[in-house]
Amino acid sequence: MHRPTARANRIALLAVGLVLTAGGAAALARGLDLRPGLLGASHTPLIDEQARRYAADHWWFWAAVAACAALLALLALWWLAAQAHTDAIHHINAEPDPRHGATHLSARAATEALEEDLTASPYVRRAKATLTGAATVPRLTLTVTLTADTDPGAANRHIHQALAQLRHALESDRLTATTRIHIAPARH
């Protein structure tokens, strides 16, 4: 997930959590009659006759409620759209000098070839590769899940060999790679 998206998620979830906690604490305090002068007595309705009359007598009240609901819906849609945003690139510029023309390679083709190369090994159960950054200087994020009975040294050599093949195919020794290695639990 994109770092600013993750940060915004944490802040928004914290704000929603604080609002819900405050609402729950106020409901609990009202139910226990802790502050009847401030929150009202526990046996009285939450919305009294005066509040109902106020809403019925002022046409703009329901328009304001509808506007707030629409704003919340738009914020929810914005949040949902932000979840789909990634830093993944769609192509790699294979020609570093634009004066010599433009050659593009599909990032998906490169990552799928790497994933297939890795999963062909008996040591690797799953592999997921993503290219991020700029099309001229991509960065690789690789997540590899090894089988439970894997020889870690042999698996590491195979991963390095597959990365070297990808760098050779891309004609780029500058491809930075971050590799996360997990070991799958043993199947019984």
Side-chain angles (χ1 to χ4, degrees), residues 23-34 39:
L28 181 63
R30 180 183 166 101
L32 296 175
D33 274 333
L34 296 179
L39 301 170

Side-chain angles (χ1 to χ4, degrees), residues 136-138 163-164 166-176:
T136 54
V137 187
L163 288 172
L166 178 64
R167 287 185 178 111
H168 179 72
L170 296 177
E171 297 178 357
S172 173
D173 292 335
R174 298 177 302 154
L175 178 65
T176 305

